[in-house]
Amino acid sequence: MSTAPALDLDRFEELAAAGEITTVVCAAPDPYGRLVGKRLTIPAFRSLGLDGSGINASSFIFAVDLEMNPLDLPVSNAANGWVDIRLVPDLSTLRRVPWEPTAALVICDAYHMDSDQPLAVAPRTILRAQLERAAQHGMSFKFASELEFYLAATPPREAWELGYQNLKMLSDYRSDYQMIQAARDDWFIERIRNQMPEFGVPIESSKPEWGLGQQEVTLDYCDTLEMADRHVLFKYGVKQLANAADLTVTFMAKPKIDEVGSSCHLHVSMWSDDSGESLCWSPEHHGMSERFGSFVAGQLHHAADISLMFAPTINSYKRFQPDQFAGTAIALGNDNRSCAFRLVGTGPAFRVENRIPGADVNPYYAYAATIAAGLDGIERGLPAPDIFDGNAWTGSGVTTVPTALHRSLDLFAESKMARTAFGDEVFEHLLASAQSELEAFDSHTVTDWESRRYYERV
């Protein structure tokens, strides 16, 4: 494990006094895992972020769609005037930005304007609430995100003007694991491997993936909240670096229907708050301790019900096709990539990998849902799942994740576990936000597919 190189305040003040830092990016993760906030001058950061009550922002940043259209949600709407909230810097996340030499960045928590109560629907708050539940059981978790993305050798503005159609991808043929392609791409990928650690996001490895222009970068594991922060910072950084290199990057789950999707495999392990030791490993049931077995069982039991937290967009479900290594088959395998859940490692490195999420996932939501489902398994004393041998995609009796947002929404709406774990306010916010995304597609969009199919023929 690596610790993020936080910038302490004394060093920050030295750099600011020397003119080496002139801007502080104060940002919070939004419902889509994007950073939103303001860029502050040094005096403003001191007066608002350090000495004041925080940076004012409209609550609508947690109640908009991807087009930045305000949604009519309880947290922010016309009736309450899209009321302001406070973004309060978490100074443990203060760091320099390697590709912006005079900038520092700090992740903020969202608070109500007139109290010290955290905003319940803010992604960081949602995750913290599940971590507090886990702490009552004397346990904590470590996560790692394993992200895939596509790179096109087309500048971002040109790609936008082309409607993201017929882009020149970074590779010309399938090159999964191929070191020749890795060397060709390394003029850019090495910037990620080298600069991300300087940004407080340690990298384990990189490799070309199966898709044309597709890459996989594995992040070092760490404590849950820090890993969610690193995940968001990684995507932010890759987009910045790609833009500077005249490359277009996408973390869409399925950029093209005839191309493999981009995943975000989630690795999670359970640890004791008291001893700091792993609670996962036992030599008995395929390596699973009794408690970890129940935690894994909870994830399998609720996988379909909380798939919305792993697959948040219309596009997410285009990835769920058999034989393409997406986690469609809800089964537990021992190093079996046809299963949605895969046991990996031994001893202290023993963990479970969730293969359902795509690269478009919000890590705070996904981690929170993982913990909530696992805790339900522990509280109900569910037995460890059986290990599936063979091809789970064709396995008899193996259920699958929902393959459309409609069904995923219906299952989430009916999930008593999710409502209880998240609480009514957060649960209704998550549900309403997803419903608005579905409505935008169902009622306000005519697709290319519809035009080709119906324009002349009906």
Side-chain angles (χ1 to χ4, degrees):
M1 281 176 39
S2 303
T3 302
L7 186 62
D8 66 54
L9 284 180
D10 289 341
R11 181 58 179 157
F12 168 80
E13 291 293 359
E14 290 176 7
L15 294 169
E20 293 186 45
I21 293 180
T22 60
T23 300
V24 182
V25 180
C26 296
D30 79 351
Y32 307 98
R34 304 174 299 183
L35 291 179
V36 295
K38 298 181 179 180
R39 298 172 74 95
L40 272 61
T41 63
I42 298 299
F45 178 65
R46 290 190 184 117
S47 64
L48 299 174
L50 299 181
D51 302 328
S53 58
I55 297 95
N56 288 14
S58 172
S59 55
F60 100 108
I61 62 177
F62 296 111
V64 293
D65 66 13
L66 280 164
E67 298 282 1
M68 300 306 292
N69 298 311
L71 305 175
D72 186 20
L73 299 179
V75 68
S76 186
N77 51 59
N80 69 17
W82 299 284
V83 64
D84 266 5
I85 56 170
R86 297 181 293 121
L87 300 182
V88 178
D90 177 350
L91 294 178
S92 70
T93 70
L94 183 63
R95 66 197 68 206
R96 300 192 74 172
V97 183
W99 48 89
E100 290 189 69
T102 61
L105 182 148
V106 65
I107 295 176
C108 298
D109 287 303
Y111 287 81
H112 288 276
M113 198 66 192
D114 55 357
S115 76
D116 289 330
Q117 180 181 356
L119 196 71
V121 301
R124 271 185 130 225
T125 310
I126 291 172
L127 179 53
R128 275 202 172 103
Q130 298 309 308
L131 292 173
E132 290 169 3
R133 290 185 62 216
Q136 294 173 7
H137 290 269
M139 66 180 70
S140 59
F141 301 94
K142 300 186 192 301
F143 277 80
S145 289
E146 193 177 300
L147 278 158
E148 297 170 353
F149 53 92
Y150 277 89
L151 286 168
T154 306
R157 177 60 60 85
E158 183 180 343
W160 169 264
E161 292 170 351
L162 291 169
Y164 301 109
Q165 300 295 312
N166 301 316
L167 303 184
K168 173 64 177 174
M169 304 312 292
L170 204 59
S171 59
D172 298 316
Y173 49 83
R174 307 291 177 206
S175 300
D176 195 8
Y177 283 98
Q178 296 298 312
M179 289 297 98
I180 290 177
Q181 187 64 44
R184 291 175 180 174
D185 297 339
D186 217 43
W187 67 271
F188 176 71
I189 300 300
E190 66 90 18
R191 299 181 193 181
I192 297 175
R193 291 198 312 273
N194 292 343
Q195 294 194 54
M196 282 296 165
E198 297 174 17
F199 195 39
V201 184
I203 301 297
E204 179 182 286
S205 64
S206 65
K207 76 172 185 69
E209 262 291 341
W210 192 84
L212 300 183
Q214 192 179 33
Q215 304 283 337
E216 178 185 272
V217 176
T218 304
L219 311 184
D220 279 358
Y221 79 99
C222 63
D223 291 336
T224 307
L225 183 62
E226 184 177 340
M227 187 68 245
D229 290 342
R230 290 182 186 183
H231 177 127
V232 167
L233 291 168
F234 175 81
K235 289 180 68 173
Y236 174 82
V238 169
K239 291 178 180 181
Q240 298 281 358
L241 291 170
N243 183 76
D246 277 341
L247 300 175
T248 296
V249 62
T250 182
F251 288 88
M252 282 181 68
K254 189 77 167 177
K256 295 177 66 177
I257 198 62
D258 58 351
E259 190 61 277
V260 70
S262 286
S263 69
C264 174
H265 300 152
L266 300 184
H267 295 252
V268 58
S269 55
M270 178 192 299
W271 300 76
S272 168
D273 277 348
D274 294 331
S275 66
E277 296 179 350
S278 171
L279 298 176
C280 300
W281 176 255
S282 169
E284 297 174 0
H285 189 83
H286 298 281
M288 288 180 284
S289 68
E290 182 177 354
R291 191 189 296 190
F292 188 62
S294 294
F295 179 80
V296 174
Q299 291 187 61
L300 269 71
H301 184 75
H302 294 292
D305 298 347
I306 59 173
S307 58
L308 184 65
M309 298 294 95
F310 304 133
T313 71
I314 293 288
N315 180 257
S316 302
Y317 298 84
K318 306 298 173 68
R319 176 175 157 267
F320 290 152
Q321 299 180 19
D323 301 319
Q324 290 198 9
F325 296 97
T328 54
I330 302 175
L332 178 66
N334 190 1
D335 195 14
N336 184 340
R337 286 177 170 83
S338 73
C339 298
F341 296 89
R342 183 172 76 113
L343 295 175
V344 186
T346 58
F350 188 62
R351 61 199 185 275
V352 64
E353 175 193 57
N354 179 352
R355 300 176 63 81
I356 298 172
D360 57 353
V361 72
N362 181 325
Y364 303 94
Y365 291 172
Y367 294 4
T370 297
I371 294 169
L375 289 181
D376 184 70
I378 290 173
E379 290 167 356
R380 293 168 59 190
L382 295 181
D386 293 331
I387 300 298
F388 186 92
D389 291 321
N391 186 349
W393 296 318
T394 59
S396 174
V398 177
T399 59
T400 60
V401 296
T403 55
L405 184 56
H406 297 81
R407 181 58 179 153
S408 184
L409 265 168
D410 290 344
L411 290 171
F412 187 77
E414 297 165 1
S415 174
K416 294 180 180 179
M417 182 282 296
R419 181 180 286 276
T420 300
F422 291 129
D424 288 340
E425 181 182 0
V426 170
F427 180 84
E428 293 293 346
H429 175 84
L430 294 171
L431 187 61
S433 298
Q435 287 169 335
S436 70
E437 184 73 4
L438 181 59
E439 181 182 350
F441 181 78
D442 280 351
S443 303
H444 306 297
T445 304
V446 175
T447 66
D448 293 345
W449 182 89
E450 293 169 275
S451 298
R452 286 194 299 269
R453 193 174 185 90
Y454 303 127
Y455 201 91
E456 280 193 87
R457 290 181 254 187
V458 297

